[in-house]
């Protein structure tokens, strides 16, 4: 299927899966009408910490309070794609002889780190 922005997919009975109008009684997640009860928080068994507001200037860019918000939101997918695999760690599988593909084994770890700059500690001697 190729996405066509001129088509209103929400009105297509084959494509539309409805709105997320069901609220989980445990975690308050929005869910689809036919979604399983335990999909979000295992019926209250999983508890996540509250999501904190992003640091500045990211918060202002996301909320429209920054002069470059429109440009940022227009390109946010490109920014995400640029950083998605910039730094990761895994156990590399190396085989004897010619290795035609990059193989990893086990879990892939993203090493994004903080989006905030490191604090420089300057002391005059």
């Amino acid at each position: 299927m190729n996405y066509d922005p001129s088509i209103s997919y929400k009105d297509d009975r084959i494509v539309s899966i409805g709105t997320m109008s069901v609220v989980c009684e445990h975690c308050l997640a929005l869910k689809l009408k036919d979604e399983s009860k335990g999909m979000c928080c295992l019926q209250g068994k999983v508890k996540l910490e509250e999501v904190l507001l992003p640091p500045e200037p990211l918060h202002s860019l996301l909320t429209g309070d920054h002069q470059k918000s429109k440009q940022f939101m227009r390109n946010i997918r490109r920014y995400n794609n640029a950083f998605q695999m910039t730094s990761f760690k895994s156990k590399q599988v190396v085989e004897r002889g010619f290795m035609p593909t990059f193989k990893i084994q086990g879990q892939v770890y993203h090493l994004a780190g903080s989006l905030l700059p490191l604090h420089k500690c300057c002391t005059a001697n």
Side-chain angles (χ1 to χ4, degrees), residues 99-113:
M99 192 168 159
T101 58
F102 175 73
K103 295 181 181 181
I104 57 173
Q105 181 178 2
Q107 187 172 359
V108 174
Y109 298 91
H110 289 271
L111 301 174

Side-chain angles (χ1 to χ4, degrees), residues 58-67 69-70 73:
L58 183 57
H59 183 261
S60 295
L61 287 165
L62 292 169
T63 58
D65 296 333
H66 193 281
Q67 64 185 12
S69 289
K70 287 183 182 178
M73 294 305 290

Side-chain angles (χ1 to χ4, degrees), residues 14-15 25 41 51 56 59-60 65 67 75 82 84 89 91 93 96-97 102 105 110 117 121:
I14 295 172
V15 176
E25 62 185 276
C41 65
V51 177
E56 288 298 337
H59 183 261
S60 295
D65 296 333
Q67 64 185 12
N75 293 295
Q84 71 178 349
K89 182 178 182 179
K91 178 181 174 187
V93 177
R96 291 182 177 208
F102 175 73
Q105 181 178 2
H110 289 271
C121 181

Side-chain angles (χ1 to χ4, degrees), residues 61-62 64 66-81:
L61 287 165
L62 292 169
H66 193 281
Q67 64 185 12
K68 293 187 177 181
S69 289
K70 287 183 182 178
Q71 184 247 351
F72 179 79
M73 294 305 290
R74 204 171 33 249
N75 293 295
I76 195 168
R77 182 168 296 203
R78 289 181 184 167
Y79 300 144
N80 285 337
N81 289 340

